[in-house]
DNA sequence: TTGAAAGCGATACCAC
DNA sequence: GTGGTATCGCTTTCAA
């Protein structure tokens, strides 16, 4: 537990000055330091297992190499986690580190989380949510480059870019997959309207029907919630005691857990999936969708991709922004602000259809 | 995006020196600074929305207030996430922040993750794994106080304390719950032996049988894997085409996803849960176990608790350790090393039985 | 009661 | 080619 070696230790051991050490170790030795000294410095550094103190570096460079992430719930959900994982991988590949503050869905902790991060001199901020949702970005977020992942600020002048999944398209393509199998009577168990995800997916569903020239039977669209039990009961209402000819031939679910409930209900009723009823999920939840019986056809949320894309955009902004050093850059920062504003668009990432075994051709005669 | 105010700005605005600002804002104003100045300083600080730069503070105090966490997979699993959440909550309550590095299960990244964290001057390190498992702690971890959560170092002289779930007891108490409902023919679908979790839970199962004076039917213990589909097929082998009198009356699963598979199999066979067969999970996976149909009786892994306990112990060590300042403390550090070694024990956290609706009394006549 | 100065570790400029 | 020195923001003596 002894202290780490500092540049001064290396300098002493090599018999040179700190500056020489700094130059050599940062690749600017040639032309500045005698090659004999260079070698001694390198040897000394290796011997002492030297690596620079990032804290000191941060102070000196006014650049911490830390990206702050505010999350409303890393904890319990694999969703957020995957977004953050995607973001972190990109950050790491560029020498940054991510510092996550979880507010555990307590909005009053938003500001203070950002404050804490800002005090620690993060170079940029990302706000990540578990479910797609609108929010008002904390005031103080504007002090550094920022981006939203899986959420968006619905105020017209918010000016913070966002990366979200293209839910409308996802809903449409999911529906189209079922239609391509011959299904026309497709029920949609659709979560609730507490987040925009379900409504948007429903929009996509309607779009698909419209494109196919088919009417939507409103009774087939039911916002039941997001969990297995609500999926179960929703499916029961749709299927139990209903004549085979009046059953929907496919049930599209707003997430995979609902789909599990639907499959449970089918089995309980002696119905085969997908022979009698096709069931489709959404999210492609890790270790859930792929190992179901039958394995779930689903629409994968591009979580890692969203995180990666958001971080890529964010780091580009960090690189572009006038390093915050007081290089009297009033003029340049004007230019930069314009750039930022223009790029403060919302980027939509496409969901990916994953075909497995829970969907099949429509039963004969339907 | 303008720069944050520094202590110097505050001093200027209040018409005093930096030192005065520091003293007052750290509560050592009385007796050192005139109360009129104190007020002016406080006003100035508030006006400028001043808060100290933690980077500068860290450098100055040789204490970063950051706890490094190395995780093998935060990402995909809600498990790790909960451990980290528990740890983070404790850390935050004591003014620390956690910096997580995910190795994505790539062991070769262990050392470098620790190195990165160490370069950033973390005050302590925690190593967290998704599944309970033995490991060799990275060499360089020893440079700061460290602890393991959900994993342990099986070398006798490792000397790093660990916090793990008491799996043997969990397995026993799960089995005892079923026995208390009258079950005697209890099958155990038990994951695999790639991690110590399944074997330990099986140990607990055997312990319960031994305590009840009952023999274990070895054919009832099957290590099938950890996923829904393996649970489904495992249950099928146990139940399909078997005379009711020869069926196990209860199936204990090594995790909740297996239990889902078992319930699916039961429904498919026209068996009711828990009327015909009791099914029990393990883990109490968030949003999975509680919303199943029927809601799963399960043995909850104490994830948050483990994280919290590990962090509490770790911070205690940080507080106790001679602040790493070069207070020529060769002697005291000797004492401290002894303390550490003595406390390098493994702490077992108890799993919690959660009774829901998937277990019930043994069918009449069995 | 106040302010000047040292130093935490590293870098970069600028005299030598 | 080389090493002294200012600087990043803050705390903490110490001298006035």
């Amino acid at each position: 537990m002894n202290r780490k070696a500092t540049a001064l230790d290396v300098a002493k051991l090599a018999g040179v000055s700190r500056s020489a050490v700094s130059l050599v170790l940062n690749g600017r030795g040639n032309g500045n330091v005698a090659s004999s000294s260079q070698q001694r410095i390198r040897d000394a550094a290796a011997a002492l297992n030297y690596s620079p103190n990032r804290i000191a570096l941060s102070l000196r460079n006014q650049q911490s190499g830390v990206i702050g992430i505010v999350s409303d719930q890393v904890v319990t959900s694999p969703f957020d986690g995957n977004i953050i994982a995607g973001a972190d991988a990109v950050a790491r590949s560029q020498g940054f580190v991510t510092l996550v503050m979880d507010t555990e869905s307590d909005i009053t902790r938003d500001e203070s989380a950002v404050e804490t991060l800002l005090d620690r001199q993060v170079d940029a901020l990302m706000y990540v949510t578990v479910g797609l949702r609108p929010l008002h970005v904390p005031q103080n977020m504007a002090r550094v480059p920022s981006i939203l992942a899986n959420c968006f600020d619905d105020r017209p002048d918010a000016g913070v870019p966002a990366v979200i999944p293209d839910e409308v398209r996802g809903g449409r393509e999911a529906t189209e997959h079922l239609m391509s199998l011959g299904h026309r009577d497709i029920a949609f168990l659709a979560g609730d309207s507490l987040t925009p995800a379900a409504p948007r997916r429903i929009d996509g569903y309607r779009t698909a029907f419209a494109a196919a020239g088919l009417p939507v039977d409103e009774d087939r669209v039911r916002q039941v919630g997001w969990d297995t039990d609500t999926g179960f009961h929703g499916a029961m209402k749709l299927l139990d005691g209903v004549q085979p000819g009046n059953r929907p031939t496919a049930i599209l679910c707003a997430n995979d857990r609902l789909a599990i409930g639907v499959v449970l209900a089918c089995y309980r009723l002696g119905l085969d999936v997908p022979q009698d009823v096709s069931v489709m999920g959404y999210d492609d939840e890790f270790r859930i969708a792929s190992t179901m019986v039958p394995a779930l056809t689903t629409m994968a949320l591009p979580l890692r991709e969203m995180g990666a894309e958001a971080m890529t955009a964010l780091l580009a902004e960090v690189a572009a922004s006038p390093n915050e050093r007081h290089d009297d850059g009033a003029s340049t920062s004007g230019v930069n602000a314009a750039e930022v504003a223009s790029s403060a668009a919302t980027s939509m990432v496409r969901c990916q259809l994953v075909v497995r075994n829970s969907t099949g051709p429509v039963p004969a005669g339907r």
Side-chain angles (χ1 to χ4, degrees), chain A:
Chain A
M1 230 179 267
N2 40 7
R3 282 216 85 36
K4 271 196 72 167
T6 73
L8 182 58
D9 298 325
V10 177
K12 273 194 209 145
L13 184 57
V16 297
S17 75
R18 287 201 293 287
S19 347
V21 174
S22 173
L23 284 172
V24 171
L25 264 30
N26 289 311
R28 258 163 312 122
N30 286 337
N32 287 316
V33 178
S35 62
S36 64
S37 303
Q38 292 199 31
Q39 196 50 49
R40 263 180 301 133
I41 290 172
R42 269 186 251 280
D43 291 346
L48 296 174
N49 192 22
Y50 170 78
S51 60
N53 179 328
R54 293 288 275 126
I55 297 257
L57 254 180
S58 302
L59 183 59
R60 167 70 225 212
N61 297 345
Q62 300 293 83
Q63 246 244 24
S64 62
V66 177
I67 307 297
I69 297 184
V70 180
S71 150
D72 64 351
Q73 227 182 83
V74 213
V75 197
T76 34
S77 108
F79 298 107
D80 243 14
N82 273 303
I83 299 177
I84 292 173
D88 186 65
V90 170
R92 195 183 50 241
S93 76
Q94 301 193 29
F96 288 80
V97 129
T98 55
L99 182 49
V100 181
M101 299 237 61
D102 194 324
T103 66
E104 302 188 74
S105 294
D106 178 351
I107 333 166
T108 64
R109 265 167 53 189
D110 263 25
E111 294 269 353
S112 79
V114 171
E115 204 58 46
T116 301
L117 258 11
L118 249 19
D119 285 345
R120 289 189 178 270
Q121 310 297 114
V122 294
D123 294 334
L125 283 168
M126 180 181 298
Y127 198 114
V128 182
T129 56
V130 176
L132 175 66
R133 67 182 181 87
L135 52 76
H136 288 186
V137 295
Q139 273 286 323
N140 44 8
M141 228 173 131
R143 303 188 69 96
V144 292
S146 319
I147 201 163
L148 309 176
N150 209 24
C151 49
F152 53 93
D153 196 314
D154 50 3
R155 291 168 301 182
D157 58 339
V160 180
V163 178
I164 60 176
D166 192 342
E167 301 282 15
V168 177
R169 182 171 186 164
R172 176 165 61 80
E173 294 185 351
T175 308
E176 286 172 352
H177 163 67
L178 292 169
M179 286 179 164
S180 77
L181 291 168
H183 297 277
R184 293 294 175 269
D185 188 351
I186 304 170
F188 195 176
L189 256 34
D192 56 47
S193 291
L194 267 40
T195 88
R200 290 185 184 197
R201 292 173 191 177
I202 295 175
D203 273 2
Y205 168 89
R206 289 185 199 285
T207 309
F209 270 80
L214 261 29
V216 169
D217 177 351
E218 292 303 331
D219 193 47
R220 287 306 193 212
V221 180
R222 307 197 175 180
Q223 299 193 237
V224 295
W226 297 100
D227 290 311
T228 302
D229 50 355
T230 61
F232 180 88
H233 295 117
M236 277 303 196
K237 287 208 187 92
L238 245 20
L239 305 171
D240 192 17
V242 176
Q243 294 293 329
N246 293 331
R247 287 199 297 251
T249 62
I251 301 181
L252 174 55
C253 303
N255 74 12
D256 294 329
R257 292 196 311 271
L258 281 171
I260 292 176
V262 172
V263 173
L264 284 166
C266 289
Y267 285 7
R268 182 101 121 196
L269 295 172
L271 262 26
D272 187 81
V273 177
Q275 209 128 314
D276 300 313
V277 181
S278 281
V279 177
M280 185 165 175
Y282 205 112
D283 291 353
D284 195 22
E285 200 173 330
F286 184 68
R287 283 197 170 163
I288 294 289
S290 65
T291 67
M292 251 301 277
V293 185
L296 286 179
T297 294
T298 191
M299 184 61 67
L301 271 182
L303 298 168
R304 279 192 80 95
E305 292 78 1
M306 280 173 25
E309 181 174 325
M311 184 57 78
T312 302
L314 191 55
L315 291 181
E317 210 189 318
V318 169
S321 89
N323 223 352
E324 305 289 279
R325 312 268 343 214
H326 33 46
D327 43 5
D328 61 330
S331 58
T332 49
S333 80
V335 170
N336 198 262
E339 270 178 19
V340 170
S342 78
S343 71
T346 294
S347 165
M348 299 265 216
V349 185
R350 186 173 175 180
C351 301
Q352 195 67 45
L353 176 67
V354 180
V355 179
R356 298 204 181 91
N357 309 322
S358 65
T359 52
V362 66
R366 290 300 305 274

